[in-house]
Amino acid sequence: MKKNSSWLVRVALVVTLVFSSACIAQTQGDESENERWFAIDSLNTGLGDVPEEVGRMSPREMVRSFLAFTESEDYATAAHLLNLNDIDPGEQQAQGAELARQLAEVLKRGEWLNASNMSGRQDAVIEDPSGQNPLAGEPQRNIELAALKVDGQAYDVRLGRYRVGEEDPVWLVMPESVSFIPALYEEYGPSMLERYIPERLKASFGMLKIWEWLAIPIFLIAIGTVGVVTYYLVGLVARILPSGVSTIFADQIGVPMAMIVMSLVTQMLLDYVVSFSAIATTTFRVLLISIMAWGAGTIALRFVDTIMLRLTRRLVGEIDDTKPKDQRRLLTSLYALRRAIILITVTGVSIYILGQVQLFETLGLSILASASVLAVLVGVAGQTVLGNILSSFQLSLAKPIRIGDLVIFEGEWCYVEGIFYTYIRLRSWDERRLIVPVTYFTSKPFDNLSVKSTKMYRSLVLTLHLSADIGLLRDKFLEFAKEEENVVEHHKLLCYVTAQTGTAQTITCYLMTSDPMAGWTAEMNLREKLLAFIRDNHPEWWPREIMVISHEDIARGEGQGKRSQDADSSAGKPSE
């Protein structure tokens, strides 16, 4: 009995395991099928039999069929490509044709639709050889056909895969999207102007209709006229305003303001007057968004430049090294702030444009897949530009030079007038402007005559005869130097003989000046005064060429008359 009981238990366990496995397999199979399509009991029963020429096996085939039928105005057949199960079967035929017509008009104007961009596979599996897409290789049962906005609300037109019983699954516009069609048609349908266009002009000619080829040039001319008028109006306002920073600001924003007004007028015309096909509308909208963002960013930058100009005039004035170090440091920081604002503005505008034209969704994965290649290309192509930008920020942070500093760069005396992203603008002493790449400037040694103090030691050199009285000349130098306004620290005034030749001596005078440029002027004034003193009082101090007959003649000048008599006697002449 025990053996029989044990055998029965084993049989029961085996049966239970087999049954459980079958149930699990059935459940997994149902779940797998539910991931591939939507199972329904019936489909569009009020439309009748589906014509053979209707293709619905793949998203690409479905979209291609819909475009073909609506292009030929066969909206009754195109209705078979919509899932109308939410509509009463008795009304499906009438409403289906009208909804198909409305959807065709929406797709023509709302979004540029290309059937080639849709999946050609029945299961719509995402094919990504690079393997970067996390959804690659997985079947889909609904995909997005178009994404449109009405009053700020997003509406998706989606395709779903449906299977009735054991029939082949087909792709149709989903019921939720069908319910959105009337609202989308009211937003993207034909404009008031199109109702008066003759039918013969509504025929397609290439990518656009005939009337669009005629209307677009007129449209652009009208918008251009608006821009020109706006530009001159802004210029008139700039001339009316009192002179000052407000006038400068108004004078600089003429072009960006004209572009913004042109964009707004264009947007208004597209919304309320005329609506072009999707390819033209999409192009216009991308341009409008780009122009609006560029115009707003440019005006913001001009505003920052105007504020900087006001602060420069108020706090610093003329850009040179005579201003206090703190003011020059402030101006340098303002230029750094300007570059940071430019960087933030450009980044923000770029992100806004990409987000508005919805490039992230279509290009995001491709950009990620090609990130390494793009990084290499950008690094090679933009190495110089990026190096200049980084160097400019380095200068702004470390401040080896500041706006207004006097530097000697490659033999040129220059004031630092501006530090920009890729270059430094230097103003030479003769009012020329040197434009130097930042990386080139930072890679070369330069003298900063204003880094600690504007004071500078100057020296002037005179070459005089050996008979010049150095003590007298030193006294005159001290007298003249103390009269100069830009000579400071009189206890550091010096005058010495610094070199000597057989016929002349070199005298060097040293003086401390308040700043380099004023020091140059003081040096020139002192040289002129000393030369005038020597010319008027001691012309014998000038260097002169001397022919030496005998070194003894120079050493013993008092014996010159006696030697002349001896020479005459030896020649047989009587002496006087």
Side-chain angles (χ1 to χ4, degrees):
M1 280 300 289
K2 292 182 178 179
K3 291 183 178 179
N4 291 336
S5 299
S6 176
W7 181 82
L8 290 174
V9 171
R10 291 177 182 177
V11 171
L13 289 174
V14 171
V15 172
T16 302
L17 291 174
V18 171
F19 181 76
S20 300
S21 300
C23 292
I24 293 173
Q26 179 66 28
T27 303
Q28 290 177 347
D30 293 341
E31 292 177 353
S32 177
E33 290 184 356
N34 291 336
E35 292 177 356
R36 296 169 60 187
W37 54 67
F38 297 97
I40 55 179
D41 297 329
S42 61
L43 179 63
N44 297 343
T45 56
L47 296 181
D49 296 334
V50 181
E52 294 182 358
E53 61 269 20
V54 175
R56 305 184 296 178
M57 301 305 295
S58 69
R60 182 183 299 170
E61 187 179 10
M62 178 267 167
V63 172
R64 190 172 292 158
S65 295
F66 183 83
L67 295 177
F69 291 132
T70 54
E71 186 69 25
S72 61
E73 299 185 358
D74 187 2
Y75 301 116
T77 303
H80 287 279
L81 298 167
L82 309 178
N83 188 336
L84 304 175
N85 280 358
D86 289 349
I87 300 176
D88 185 81
E91 300 178 1
Q92 285 181 1
Q93 191 166 6
Q95 292 192 27
E98 178 63 17
L99 290 172
R101 185 188 69 81
Q102 292 182 0
L103 180 59
E105 294 292 338
V106 169
L107 294 178
K108 285 179 182 178
R109 293 169 174 80
E111 185 167 324
W112 186 14
L113 192 62
N114 189 353
S116 300
N117 295 333
M118 308 302 295
S119 174
R121 294 176 58 107
Q122 295 184 12
D123 55 3
V125 169
I126 297 177
E127 298 177 342
D128 183 15
S130 65
Q132 299 294 326
N133 193 329
L135 300 178
E138 295 185 6
Q140 300 184 85
R141 63 175 183 173
N142 72 90
I143 59 176
E144 182 184 282
L145 177 64
L148 304 171
K149 288 187 176 181
V150 178
D151 296 332
Q153 300 294 325
Y155 292 87
D156 290 344
V157 179
R158 303 189 70 84
L159 304 182
R161 194 182 188 201
Y162 298 93
R163 184 179 185 184
V164 180
E166 298 299 325
E167 296 179 5
D168 293 333
V170 294
W171 288 90
L172 304 171
V173 178
M174 301 182 70
E176 296 83 356
S177 299
V178 172
S179 65
F180 300 151
I181 292 177
L184 294 174
Y185 181 77
E186 188 172 347
E187 178 73 18
Y188 294 95
S191 63
M192 177 180 60
L193 180 64
E194 289 183 67
R195 300 172 186 173
Y196 302 98
I197 297 175
E199 290 297 328
R200 64 178 179 273
L201 296 180
K202 293 182 180 180
S204 297
F205 183 74
M207 295 183 295
L208 303 175
K209 295 180 180 180
I210 296 176
W211 74 268
E212 291 176 325
W213 288 109
L214 300 175
I216 288 177
I218 300 175
F219 185 80
L220 294 176
I221 292 174
I223 296 302
T225 303
V226 171
V228 172
V229 172
T230 303
Y231 176 79
Y232 282 107
L233 286 177
V234 174
L236 179 62
V237 172
R239 288 191 291 272
I240 293 175
L241 291 174
S243 59
V245 292
S246 58
T247 303
I248 296 174
F249 176 69
D251 191 53
Q252 290 180 340
I253 63 173
V255 173
M257 185 62 70
M259 301 300 285
I260 290 177
V261 173
M262 289 170 59
S263 301
L264 294 175
V265 172
T266 303
Q267 187 67 52
M268 183 182 65
L269 293 177
L270 290 176
D271 289 340
Y272 301 105
V273 180
V274 62
S275 59
F276 297 108
S277 298
I279 180 174
T281 303
T282 302
T283 303
F284 275 126
R285 292 191 187 280
V286 172
L287 290 176
L288 292 178
I289 291 171
S290 303
I291 291 172
M292 285 281 290
W294 173 83
T298 303
I299 291 177
L301 183 59
R302 295 291 183 267
F303 181 70
V304 172
D305 286 341
T306 304
I307 293 177
M308 288 186 57
L309 179 62
R310 180 181 178 89
L311 291 175
T312 300
R313 290 180 175 180
R314 183 176 179 180
L315 300 178
V316 181
E318 183 69 20
I319 296 179
D320 55 34
D321 64 343
T322 60
K323 300 297 181 292
K325 183 168 59 176
D326 291 340
Q327 293 182 354
R328 287 184 279 123
R329 184 184 293 112
L330 172 62
L331 190 57
T332 305
S333 300
L334 288 176
Y335 268 82
L337 177 62
R338 178 183 184 274
R339 293 195 298 276
I341 292 175
I342 292 176
L343 182 61
I344 294 173
T345 302
V346 170
T347 303
V349 167
S350 301
I351 293 175
Y352 173 76
I353 293 175
L354 292 176
Q356 289 296 312
V357 300
Q358 296 179 349
L359 288 180
F360 282 136
E361 295 180 5
T362 57
L363 298 181
L365 295 178
S366 299
I367 291 176
L368 289 177
S370 307
S372 57
V373 178
L374 289 175
V376 173
L377 293 178
V378 171
V380 173
Q383 182 178 5
T384 303
V385 176
L386 293 175
N388 282 319
I389 292 175
L390 294 176
S391 297
S392 68
F393 277 108
Q394 178 186 358
L395 287 178
S396 300
L397 295 175
K399 291 185 175 61
I401 58 172
R402 295 160 303 207
I403 306 298
D405 280 0
L406 179 62
V407 298
I408 301 178
F409 181 71
E410 295 189 339
E412 293 276 358
W413 285 56
C414 307
Y415 285 109
V416 180
E417 198 171 50
I419 303 174
F420 301 95
Y421 264 118
T422 57
Y423 65 92
I424 296 175
R425 188 174 66 212
L426 305 176
R427 187 184 77 223
S428 63
W429 64 273
D430 55 359
E431 294 299 324
R432 290 181 296 113
R433 298 305 189 271
L434 301 180
I435 307 300
V436 185
V438 180
T439 53
Y440 183 81
F441 184 88
T442 55
S443 64
K444 299 290 183 179
F446 58 90
D447 291 335
N448 190 338
L449 304 181
S450 310
V451 65
K452 287 294 184 182
S453 173
T454 58
K455 292 189 298 184
M456 185 179 184
Y457 236 150
R458 303 287 301 186
S459 63
L460 61 92
V461 179
L462 298 176
T463 302
L464 301 176
H465 191 262
L466 290 173
S467 60
D469 187 345
I470 303 304
L472 179 59
L473 187 65
R474 181 182 293 114
D475 293 339
K476 283 297 176 181
F477 166 71
L478 295 176
E479 177 186 346
F480 295 149
K482 292 177 181 179
E483 295 174 355
E484 286 291 325
E485 180 182 359
N486 294 316
V487 176
V488 297
E489 300 184 15
H490 296 162
H491 63 284
K492 293 185 178 180
L493 295 172
L494 300 172
C495 184
Y496 292 104
V497 175
T498 54
Q500 172 192 353
T501 65
T503 60
Q505 57 185 335
T506 301
I507 296 94
T508 304
C509 301
Y510 299 92
L511 59 151
M512 178 68 75
T513 58
S514 58
D515 62 87
M517 296 304 292
W520 183 87
T521 304
E523 177 189 338
M524 301 304 110
N525 291 337
L526 288 174
R527 181 179 283 107
E528 291 178 359
K529 291 180 180 180
L530 290 174
L531 292 177
F533 169 75
I534 296 172
R535 181 178 58 251
D536 295 339
N537 298 281
H538 298 281
E540 70 275 9
W541 289 359
W542 298 126
R544 52 189 178 274
E545 295 292 334
I546 299 175
M547 183 179 67
V548 178
I549 299 176
S550 170
H551 289 290
E552 186 178 0
D553 293 340
I554 297 176
R556 297 176 59 190
E558 66 277 3
Q560 183 177 2
K562 183 176 181 299
R563 285 193 295 273
S564 298
Q565 292 178 0
D566 294 342
D568 292 339
S569 299
S570 61
K573 295 181 180 179
S575 60
E576 297 180 0

